[in-house]
Amino acid sequence: MNEQSQAERPAVLEAAGLAKAFGATRALRSCSLRMPAGEVHALMGENGSGKSTLVKILTGVHAPDSGTLTVDGRPVRFGGPAAAIRAGVMAVYQEVLVVGPRSVLENVWLGADGVFRRRVAEADKRSRAAAVLAELLEQVPDLDTPVEQLSLSDRQACGIARALVRGPKVLILDEATSALDVATRDRLFRAVARRKAEGMSVLFVSHRMDEVDAIADRVSVLRSGESVVTLDAAEATTAELVRLMTGSEHLAGASAADVAGRAPDPAAPVLLRAAGVRLHPGAEPVDFELRAGEVVGLAGLEGHGQDAFIKALWEGPPGEGSVLRTVDGTGAPIRSEQQAAAAGIGYVPRDRRAEALFGTMSIRENFSAATLRQDRRSGLLSRRAAQERFAPYRSALKIRMGRGSDPVSTLSGGNQQKVVIARWLARDPQVLLLNDPTRGVDIGAKRDIYALLAELTARGVAVVMLSTEVDEHIELMDRVLVFREGALSATLTRAELTRQSLVAAFFGRTVDEGPVSGTVAGPDAGPTTPALTPDGAA
Amino acid sequence: MTALASVRALLARRPYAFAALLTLTLLLIDIAVQPAFAAPSNWPAVLASFAPLACAAMASTPAILSGGGGIDISIGPVLTLVNIVIVADLLPNGLTSPLLVVPICLAVGAAIGAINGFMVAVLRFQPVVATLCANIVVGGLATQVQGGSVPTGSTGWTKDLAGSFGPVPGALLTIGAPLLIWVLLARTPFIKALYAVGGDDATAYSAGMNVPVVRIAAYALGGLYAGIAGIALMSLISEGAASMATQYTLLAIASVALGGTALSGGRGSLVGSLLGAGSIYLINNLLNEVNVSTLWSTAIYGALLLFAVVVGAVLTNTRRRTA
């Protein structure tokens, strides 16, 4: 390790013991990072390891709960991105942030002037924007073109140019390369190398081993919100990084659901069949069969198609292909949620608050929302009927709650999720689609949900579950479909499932493989997730 | 379809083109119906009766451009409050100098606008809710200042504003002032910042822009314009008119929409709102000239407006392009 020589060089950016919690979720526990001038520092970690939170603290979007941040040796507290930019820290995100109707020139210089005071002369702006864009793009667009008329890759280049024209001390590329085409990305890497020689540092967040191999000097790994280690890039083999990102220790305690003891019947009837479902234009179509009694996991790095796939099973395919709900060999196509629900499919969405809960209504009302018909007594809704129907689910799912008439908001996240699941179970589904059902759910409630799944599959219900937790896949799934760049890239059976094999598959590798120059996806490969809101709330 | 496509392409570049075309067409029809309408001697009166709506439409524009669901529905009450303050408070107390009256009116408007902006950008109230509250409070204040009877009054320069200063129609001052202020502001980074914040506030925030200050300034600018509208209204009617607030609020927002400004923010122009107001004024005028029964005119007028907005929306294809 090269710690000695790195320690001698003064740090341009140093974070020590950063921690940040959102409610009960501790996104960042203890993160430390030291970047000398003129270094490209890669930051790697699984989904939910705290990378985004760290970047948002470094750019002033979030304030840390504890820990210190210094720039050029001086402690700083950023009140917002403006303060971070003044201190010389500027970020470009995976989400392409441009103002569509405004010109390329305005987008490149966005935020450089004050509200009323001009800080950069107009003529200066034109020449400097053109010079930076010429570094990034083969052909510089007319600076007066509305940026919405450019390709996604060129728009992202404008976002990167916005950071470069300000001459930051630290440039943060938070998966910013995912929207770039290969040629632009390579030009960006050359531009970064030139600026590195002039002393600019880059914090490079990427899921792509080939990119990290190409430009990183050192690599830091985050796991569960904590800094694990910083390595020289030369030491950072794929296998080593995967081991560091996943951790060798396993979650304590065996699953309450004895899923390992279950053996799904390979001859069980197929309940759901997807054929030729294309999730993104240009991506390989996905074929999939779901058999009764199976638990199938959907995995991959955030935004690589697994979310689109589970939605395709519920709403019908977004473009080409078909989803069939099959009964005795024949099937009815699924093209809408209504058809899916009528065909005995249940769907528990990912965003509980926005898509699943009626936040102001009671627990009982939330339970009975999809099955109100059954509570009719002589044409009127009977509260007692709903109460009686709810009781068995309440005990089966171990829902910890006061009275059924209490607002659903009084429940913990895990118990809210159980109410949503109970709502669908009341419809007696044959296929249950769960979109990351245990996100933000405490360990006890997770165990209850796992036990329920074991019971359901024993009765012949088939479950498709998207999960962002590697351990959940290892413990629960009969097989796992791994998505990468909008297509199904690997299927791991129970026997092949290990933390290492699964995470390696996320990155398009197998465990034994060393670094290879992987292919780089086109601009449409990775749909983005919102990174910022004006008030800084996620 | 290619003709439609090319019209759409034009409107994408110049969103106010539809309102410009509509205004021109209506102007020709108005002149055909009543040739005297275009007589130069008639210009000062025509412009003076157009000025309050023209200014109110421009006053409604900055809040809408600032995005985030921005809208200011207190413009009508603000302009009637200013109108009543001049007639009932300033003129009767001997404060007649324009050097005194005009700054007071502009300050009142800008201050109310700044409060609206503060509620929206800092306290983060829904713009409709915040400015609806302002609408009610300011409307109530206007009624209180007006008192039981309708106050009347005028002075030399207000008569000139409704008529002409020498050869120049006085209303050109009230209509021209907002445009001039806009042009001057465009020499600072403010107007670009306004469009950027309105177009994508998350991007503006991440680029280090002061989003709340831009929004507060937008509402204050709208309030200032509403102050000018109040002066225009006062000089036109020379009496208090608390009851006209609602009409101006609604017509002003309709003018902005007609003028090609997107209610989602970030797209549109001040000139568009002026042309939108021109269309509305001319439709109204036409109905008066052809002696449509007043019992019917409001309904017909509303239907024409709806038609114009629908045609404008179809031509402009206001759905936001994503790729």
Side-chain angles (χ1 to χ4, degrees):
Chain A
M1 213 172 271
N2 205 7
E3 280 302 304
Q4 216 53 33
S5 66
Q6 294 289 359
E8 285 159 18
R9 291 160 64 189
V12 58
L13 179 79
E14 186 159 14
L18 291 179
K20 177 76 184 177
F22 300 100
T25 310
R26 291 172 67 195
L28 214 52
R29 292 160 195 272
S30 167
C31 174
S32 301
L33 185 73
R34 187 174 187 283
M35 290 176 65
E39 176 181 84
V40 177
H41 196 122
L43 183 65
M44 300 196 81
E46 287 175 31
N47 296 327
S49 57
K51 301 185 304 283
S52 300
T53 308
L54 173 63
V55 168
K56 285 181 180 174
I57 289 173
L58 297 180
T59 54
V61 175
H62 294 320
D65 297 335
S66 60
T68 58
L69 196 58
T70 59
V71 173
D72 282 339
R74 277 187 301 277
V76 288
R77 284 196 79 85
F78 298 144
I85 292 168
R86 272 197 298 278
V89 181
M90 196 155 180
V92 185
Y93 298 90
Q94 178 180 29
E95 186 192 11
V96 177
L97 290 174
V98 290
V99 184
R102 307 312 294 171
S103 70
V104 171
L105 184 68
E106 279 179 53
N107 269 284
V108 168
W109 284 101
L110 205 65
D113 285 321
V115 175
F116 293 103
R117 216 182 57 225
R118 203 181 291 284
R119 299 208 182 96
V120 187
E122 207 63 20
D124 229 17
K125 282 184 182 172
R126 291 197 88 86
S127 59
R128 283 166 65 189
V132 170
L133 285 171
E135 284 186 80
L136 298 175
L137 297 174
E138 180 143 40
Q139 190 170 11
V140 178
D142 180 359
L143 295 180
D144 298 317
T145 317
V147 79
E148 64 197 355
Q149 291 177 10
L150 305 185
S151 70
L152 184 71
S153 176
D154 286 8
R155 275 182 269 161
Q156 181 70 323
C158 290
I160 294 170
R162 182 189 306 146
L164 291 178
V165 293
R166 307 283 283 272
K169 289 178 189 144
V170 177
L171 173 67
I172 301 176
L173 297 173
D174 185 358
E175 298 185 42
T177 49
S178 65
L180 294 178
D181 58 45
V182 188
T184 307
R185 185 201 63 172
D186 291 344
R187 284 187 291 264
L188 168 66
F189 286 176
R190 287 195 289 275
V192 160
R194 283 191 289 275
R195 281 171 175 71
K196 189 175 104 172
E198 295 160 10
M200 184 179 83
S201 296
V202 178
L203 183 63
F204 184 69
V205 185
S206 175
H207 282 316
R208 313 188 69 99
M209 298 280 188
D210 52 333
E211 294 183 351
V212 172
D213 290 342
I215 65 164
D217 300 314
R218 291 197 299 161
V219 185
S220 281
V221 175
L222 270 183
R223 183 173 72 223
S224 309
E226 291 185 51
S227 306
V228 180
V229 73
T230 300
L231 301 173
D232 277 346
E235 306 169 45
T237 61
T238 301
E240 176 69 357
L241 286 173
V242 167
R243 190 186 66 77
L244 290 167
M245 284 190 273
T246 55
S248 44
E249 72 276 14
H250 208 262
L251 267 194
S255 168
D258 188 12
V259 278
R262 283 186 316 113
D265 178 4
V270 173
L271 297 185
L272 197 63
R273 173 177 295 133
V277 173
R278 208 184 285 279
L279 300 172
H280 290 288
E284 282 292 304
V286 179
D287 296 312
F288 170 62
E289 281 188 346
L290 179 68
R291 291 179 184 275
E294 260 192 316
V295 184
V296 176
L298 304 183
L301 295 166
E302 188 82 36
H304 274 253
Q306 60 274 35
D307 190 57
F309 183 67
I310 199 168
K311 282 188 179 137
L313 296 180
W314 172 238
E315 301 167 352
E320 291 167 53
S322 66
V323 175
L324 284 182
R325 168 78 173 89
T326 48
V327 183
D328 300 331
T330 61
I334 303 294
R335 291 197 203 87
S336 69
E337 300 97 313
Q338 287 80 6
Q339 286 174 342
I345 300 176
Y347 176 70
V348 175
R350 176 174 228 168
D351 186 346
R352 207 158 45 228
R353 219 169 356 162
E355 297 179 77
L357 281 182
F358 301 101
T360 56
M361 291 166 74
S362 72
I363 298 167
R364 195 182 51 231
E365 286 164 327
N366 268 283
F367 161 73
S368 62
T371 46
L372 275 180
R373 233 169 251 281
Q374 299 177 23
D375 297 333
R376 277 192 303 201
R377 296 291 179 271
S378 38
L380 300 174
L381 284 181
S382 158
R383 233 180 294 172
R384 185 182 297 168
Q387 196 78 35
E388 282 167 5
R389 280 200 304 125
F390 185 38
Y393 294 103
R394 181 181 168 178
S395 54
L397 282 161
K398 302 195 182 68
I399 302 177
R400 274 165 282 272
M401 52 176 266
R403 294 147 55 95
S405 54
D406 289 346
V408 75
S409 55
T410 58
L411 299 182
S412 72
N415 285 305
Q416 289 178 356
Q417 190 66 287
K418 291 177 185 173
V419 171
V420 175
I421 293 173
R423 178 194 300 162
W424 283 107
L425 294 182
R427 294 186 61 128
D428 202 12
Q430 294 308 297
V431 174
L432 193 58
L433 309 174
L434 304 169
N435 193 342
D436 208 2
T438 57
R439 166 181 286 215
V441 165
D442 63 86
I443 188 79
K446 274 182 190 169
R447 297 269 170 252
D448 295 339
I449 292 172
Y450 297 167
L452 173 83
L453 293 182
E455 195 194 313
L456 286 173
T457 49
R459 295 200 324 237
V461 174
V463 178
V464 176
M465 176 165 158
L466 184 155
S467 174
T468 49
E469 279 187 46
V470 170
D471 286 312
E472 210 158 70
H473 289 290
I474 308 294
E475 288 190 31
L476 212 55
M477 309 304 178
D478 296 318
R479 58 192 164 117
V480 176
L481 312 186
V482 180
F483 287 79
R484 182 163 171 77
E485 290 164 9
L488 178 59
S489 71
T491 302
L492 299 173
T493 60
R494 172 126 217 109
E496 300 163 330
L497 266 177
T498 62
R499 294 180 59 81
Q500 280 77 6
S501 66
L502 185 54
V503 174
F506 286 5
F507 293 91
R509 304 291 168 88
T510 59
V511 189
D512 312 321
E513 251 181 304
V516 291
S517 55
T519 53
V520 176
D524 291 324
T528 57
T529 47
L532 286 171
T533 52
D535 60 345
Chain B
M1 282 318 281
T2 49
L4 182 62
S6 61
V7 171
R8 276 186 177 163
L10 169 71
L11 288 171
R13 283 195 310 277
R14 309 250 179 274
Y16 54 81
F18 173 72
L21 200 70
L22 188 64
T23 303
L24 189 67
T25 312
L26 286 165
L27 188 63
L28 294 177
I29 296 174
D30 273 53
I31 293 169
V33 170
Q34 180 139 357
F37 186 72
S41 62
N42 204 18
W43 289 0
V46 168
L47 285 172
S49 65
F50 172 50
L53 179 61
C55 293
M58 290 189 276
S60 301
T61 311
I64 291 175
L65 282 180
S66 77
I71 195 166
D72 187 348
I73 54 179
S74 70
I75 292 297
V78 171
L79 81 89
T80 52
L81 175 69
V82 166
N83 150 53
I84 291 163
V85 163
I86 302 173
V87 180
D89 282 345
L90 300 181
L91 297 184
N93 291 316
L95 297 172
T96 56
S97 163
L99 296 179
L100 217 57
V101 172
V102 172
I104 290 174
C105 294
L106 299 188
V108 168
I112 297 171
I115 293 169
N116 280 330
F118 183 80
M119 287 197 287
V120 168
V122 179
L123 303 182
R124 307 187 73 76
F125 296 160
Q126 286 283 335
V128 171
V129 175
T131 60
L132 179 63
C133 294
N135 176 311
I136 296 167
V137 171
V138 175
L141 277 176
T143 310
Q144 195 278 329
V145 176
Q146 176 161 323
S149 60
V150 174
T152 58
S154 62
T155 182
W157 62 273
T158 67
K159 287 177 193 149
D160 289 343
L161 270 183
S164 52
F165 293 96
V168 182
L172 282 186
L173 290 182
T174 44
I175 297 172
L179 292 169
L180 180 67
I181 292 168
W182 192 263
V183 168
L184 291 177
L185 281 174
R187 298 171 70 95
T188 77
F190 173 70
I191 300 293
K192 279 178 185 162
L194 176 62
Y195 279 107
V197 166
D200 194 322
D201 50 10
T203 298
Y205 173 74
S206 79
M209 277 190 165
N210 196 332
V211 174
V213 166
V214 171
R215 288 220 163 107
I216 291 171
Y219 283 83
L221 181 64
L224 183 105
Y225 286 2
I228 299 173
I231 295 171
L233 179 65
M234 182 270 144
S235 51
L236 175 68
I237 61 178
S238 301
E239 61 178 37
S243 61
M244 295 172 82
T246 305
Q247 188 195 347
Y248 274 116
T249 298
L250 298 180
L251 291 183
I253 291 169
S255 304
V256 176
L258 205 51
T261 294
L263 292 181
S264 53
R267 293 165 198 261
S269 65
L270 197 69
V271 172
S273 302
L274 180 62
L275 291 168
S279 302
I280 287 178
Y281 173 79
L282 290 168
I283 292 174
N284 201 8
N285 195 57
L286 187 64
L287 288 175
N288 283 336
E289 281 179 18
V290 297
N291 292 319
V292 171
S293 153
T294 50
L295 299 175
W296 273 109
S297 67
T298 311
I300 293 173
Y301 167 58
L304 282 175
L305 196 57
L306 179 66
F307 174 74
V309 168
V310 168
V311 170
V314 169
L315 288 180
T316 319
N317 195 13
T318 46
R319 270 175 306 160
R320 220 173 143 170
R321 270 177 299 174
T322 49

